[in-house]
Amino acid sequence: MKIEKPPMTIVPFANTNCNAWDFGNGNVVYDFLTADRMAKARGKTLAQQRHRRFSESH
């Protein structure tokens, strides 16, 4: 018997600074803790930054 997990949905960033999340309908949250609670309540996860600021070789 195969157990299927529901697809994980991600709350996207609302700006290029990656410090605000867009929950739709113009609902933008700038506070990480509030955004995290809202995302978990909806069964979603917050988008994370995809790159580091500095190179690992330095």
Side-chain angles (χ1 to χ4, degrees):
M1 183 163 110
K2 185 177 180 182
I3 299 174
E4 292 185 24
K5 294 182 180 180
M8 182 179 290
T9 55
I10 297 175
V11 179
F13 286 116
N15 59 13
T16 57
N17 292 334
C18 300
N19 65 352
W21 293 267
D22 184 6
F23 284 88
N25 297 332
N27 189 7
V28 176
V29 178
Y30 287 89
D31 179 39
F32 172 77
L33 294 176
T34 303
D36 190 44
R37 281 188 227 128
M38 288 176 66
K40 286 180 181 178
R42 296 175 181 177
K44 299 181 178 185
T45 58
L46 296 177
Q48 298 178 356
Q49 291 182 348
R50 295 183 183 171
H51 56 85
R52 296 179 183 219
R53 184 172 174 172
F54 299 105
S55 171
E56 293 181 5
S57 64
H58 289 83

